[in-house]
Amino acid sequence: MIGILVFPGFQLLDAAGPISVFEIAGRFSGRGTTIQPLAVTAGAVRSSSGVEVLARGFRGLRGLDTLVIAGGEGVRDAIRSAETLAFVRAAARKVRRVASVCSGAYVLAEAGVLDGRRATTHWGRTPHFLSAYPKVRLEPDRIFVKDDHVWTSAGISAGIDLALAMVAEDHGDEIARQTARQLVIYHRRSGGQSQFSALNELHAPSGRFKPLLAWAREHLDEALTVERLAEQAHMSARHFTRAFIAETGTTPSKAVERLRVEAAKARVEAVGEPIEEVARTTGFRDPERMRRAFIRAFGQPPQALRRAARSA
């Protein structure tokens, strides 16, 4: 059984996205999948949109294989529920997999399940999450993260990517591809791909690091190490890294990579310049390094974006 943990004020798509993935994959695989919304109290649970789902209570629950925790504004109350946290702790010890979508990571963190583990959540919650749960090894730039049997994902649609990765693990890549096609998803994003909203956030940085990022944009062809960035910001490397993550939602190295990807993408789509020259002058040096960065950010290599630009 796959359980989807919901609570009053949950985000409907956080639950409906994974449910649809598991249901369609079960059909394609020929192995029916039992999917059950779960809540502290059995009955109708109202989402933030007002749409209700019928949930089963925790008591007497058997046969749970995977637990997926939805996110949403209601998570503020969910993390205050002793019964919910006790259920999640017990499930994390017993089930094959436990996962969260978006701010559902707060439930896992509050239950202590994420202590010492790599995890992610929606980029907009990064500063608060870092301060609230310092024991969690947050990777704010990831679509989803798998650490042993504990999975976490970024905002809303990333829950679909997480569920597709679980389908691939259970039924193989072909069933995952068929499921993605049925959902009219062009391709399944890997967990290492950047959160696109976080990429956009760097276009208009605010606060004390705005001048630093503007300076970095002008020096992309140079070695922009953490130490050099910290020196430019007049901070120690350690303090700089923590402060930078708290304010921008990403690490300094990832921010530099995004700035380079942003600059390189514009030049790649301009068509005329050789890919090797773009890689050299935007600081990637090696075209292969640039290709990997493009796949992380856009899901496609530079050549594919250039072909699309030519077609347009």
Side-chain angles (χ1 to χ4, degrees):
M1 177 196 299
I2 298 174
I4 311 293
L5 178 58
V6 296
F7 40 80
F10 76 95
Q11 167 57 242
L12 186 62
L13 189 56
D14 284 359
I19 287 171
S20 296
V21 170
F22 295 133
E23 182 262 322
I24 292 169
R27 239 187 303 135
F28 281 129
S29 69
R31 289 182 277 170
T33 302
T34 301
I35 309 164
Q36 179 65 61
L38 304 173
V40 173
T41 303
V45 181
R46 184 181 293 270
S47 69
S48 57
S49 67
V51 176
E52 297 180 340
V53 300
L54 191 62
R56 177 177 174 177
F58 298 154
R59 294 179 184 175
L61 188 66
R62 289 182 174 82
L64 187 62
D65 173 83
T66 298
L67 176 66
V68 179
I69 304 168
E73 292 305 312
V75 80
R76 294 189 183 96
D77 294 324
I79 62 175
R80 299 189 186 101
S81 168
E83 192 172 349
T84 296
L85 297 179
F87 172 74
V88 170
R89 287 189 198 101
R93 291 192 298 268
K94 297 175 183 177
V95 301
R96 183 165 62 96
R97 285 182 304 221
V98 62
S100 64
V101 180
C102 195
S103 56
Y106 277 78
V107 179
L108 288 176
E110 190 69 24
V113 175
L114 296 183
D115 287 356
R117 292 189 183 276
R118 295 164 48 247
T120 194
T121 189
H122 189 283
W123 63 267
R125 296 181 181 269
T126 293
H128 179 264
F129 195 96
L130 281 168
S131 63
Y133 304 107
K135 293 182 181 179
V136 181
R137 295 160 55 197
L138 192 69
E139 297 189 3
D141 193 39
R142 294 292 180 253
I143 292 293
F144 65 84
V145 171
K146 178 187 177 187
D147 189 322
D148 192 23
H149 72 301
V150 179
W151 303 55
T152 51
S153 67
I156 303 180
S157 64
I160 294 175
D161 297 296
L162 177 145
L164 284 168
M166 289 182 172
V167 167
E169 185 176 82
D170 292 347
H171 305 295
D173 287 337
E174 181 55 33
I175 295 297
R177 279 193 292 268
Q178 290 179 30
T179 303
R181 285 197 295 268
Q182 182 69 19
L183 289 165
V184 198
I185 296 173
Y186 178 65
H187 59 74
R188 177 166 56 92
R189 295 183 294 176
S190 68
Q193 191 168 333
S194 296
Q195 294 187 37
F196 294 125
S197 294
L199 180 64
N200 293 336
E201 281 293 291
L202 286 179
H203 289 194
S206 60
R208 56 182 157 171
F209 295 118
K210 182 176 181 178
L212 175 66
L213 290 171
W215 174 85
R217 281 194 180 97
E218 299 300 318
H219 297 80
L220 293 179
D221 60 335
E222 301 175 18
L224 298 178
T225 63
V226 170
E227 290 74 19
R228 186 171 184 200
L229 293 172
E231 181 181 359
Q232 186 69 21
H234 307 292
M235 301 168 72
S236 71
R238 183 175 181 180
H239 178 55
F240 166 72
T241 299
R242 288 193 63 84
F244 190 91
I245 292 173
E247 182 165 317
T248 69
T250 192
T251 64
S253 60
K254 284 297 180 184
V256 169
E257 179 176 289
R258 291 179 191 184
L259 294 177
R260 285 177 168 146
V261 163
E262 177 187 58
K265 180 175 182 288
R267 291 167 65 172
V268 163
E269 290 179 335
V271 176
E273 196 173 4
I275 295 291
E276 293 76 11
E277 180 66 10
V278 174
R280 185 184 67 79
T281 55
T282 54
F284 286 111
R285 309 295 182 196
D286 179 5
E288 176 59 23
R289 287 180 60 194
M290 187 172 79
R291 186 188 72 84
R292 292 196 297 267
F294 267 59
I295 290 173
R296 282 192 293 270
F298 309 117
Q300 301 179 74
Q303 291 82 354
L305 293 177
R306 173 161 285 184
R307 285 194 297 269
R310 282 174 175 163
S311 298

